[in-house]
Amino acid sequence: MSEPHSARVSPRLFYIYDPMCSWCYAFNKSWLSLQQELSENVQVIYVLGGLAPDSSEPMPEGMRAMIQHTWQKIENVIPGVHFNYDFWTENTPIRSTYPACRAILAARKQNPESGRDMLQAIQKAYYQNAKNPSLSKTLCDCAEAIGIDRALFATDLTSDGIESVLKQELKIATKLYAFSFPSLRLVHEGKLYSITVDYLDHQKMLDEINTVVGGN
């Protein structure tokens, strides 16, 4: 992936996210609507943010309560978004999102178009089916479900190559000043613009982008 400030003719819209971020899950509908109405001249680039580094330690009780409270808040403010709270009783939650981030990259390695499918598969497994996306088995199941070679995926998931790509994406997120997720950053004519994320009205984001790029 190229550096965010390198010279490019087309405007670039960077979507910085984490597959285990509940607010990113909540943003899906608005984000899809925005992409459908974006000018074809705007290049959309996905960048992994990496919420939580590798860990095998169970999530502290206080954090479990905080995340469940966040789920409840999202359900209250964003119509149509629901979570499966069975996750908290059927799993040992682990505060580690890097494995899920690597899973996106491992899927993308086999098929450049599979990154988004893998994101949806992870979110479905986690938020709807109460599966633990910090575990390799869950991630391999997700890969298999979208038609990715399971054995090759499992090998790539822990490879140095995928780890290197993840570090590169995390650096790009930092250069884009994206420290919370989801974040949108627009690069146009060498300038970086922060686009306000709107979970309810994609038109506001579209207007903001078109103001910068001229609606072309």
Side-chain angles (χ1 to χ4, degrees), residues 14-29:
F14 290 85
Y15 174 52
I16 307 95
Y17 71 103
D18 189 288
M20 289 179 63
C21 165
S22 52
W23 284 105
C24 293
Y25 175 64
F27 186 51
N28 279 344
K29 182 178 180 181

Side-chain angles (χ1 to χ4, degrees), residues 137-152:
K137 181 185 184 304
T138 300
L139 298 173
C140 288
D141 288 345
C142 289
E144 190 170 20
I146 65 168
I148 294 294
D149 183 287
R150 186 185 184 106
L152 179 57

Side-chain angles (χ1 to χ4, degrees), residues 60-190:
E61 289 296 332
M63 183 171 289
R64 298 186 195 196
M66 180 189 71
I67 294 176
Q68 290 179 71
H69 176 73
T70 298
W71 288 11
Q72 292 167 355
K73 179 179 179 180
I74 290 172
E75 288 177 334
N76 287 334
V77 300
I78 304 177
V81 178
H82 303 287
F83 297 89
N84 187 343
Y85 290 85
D86 289 344
F87 172 82
W88 301 101
T89 56
E90 296 179 359
N91 299 276
T92 300
I94 300 170
R95 181 60 172 174
S96 180
T97 73
Y98 278 27
C101 291
R102 293 189 192 96
I104 301 288
L105 300 175
R108 211 165 68 191
K109 182 182 176 184
Q110 288 196 40
N111 180 352
E113 303 301 319
S114 290
R116 299 182 192 187
D117 291 339
M118 190 64 184
L119 171 59
Q120 292 177 356
I122 292 172
Q123 290 178 331
K124 180 179 179 180
Y126 182 18
Y127 296 119
Q128 298 177 24
N129 297 335
K131 303 298 182 182
N132 193 338
S134 295
L135 302 180
S136 295
K137 181 185 184 304
T138 300
L139 298 173
C140 288
D141 288 345
C142 289
E144 190 170 20
I146 65 168
I148 294 294
D149 183 287
R150 186 185 184 106
L152 179 57
F153 173 86
T155 299
D156 288 335
L157 190 60
T158 57
S159 68
D160 291 340
I162 292 299
E163 177 65 15
S164 177
V165 176
L166 176 59
K167 288 179 179 178
Q168 291 172 18
E169 295 221 1
L170 298 182
K171 288 181 180 178
I172 292 173
T174 299
K175 289 183 178 181
L176 292 167
Y177 300 99
F179 303 108
S180 62
F181 315 114
S183 287
L184 292 174
R185 299 290 184 267
L186 179 67
V187 175
H188 182 52
E189 296 181 346

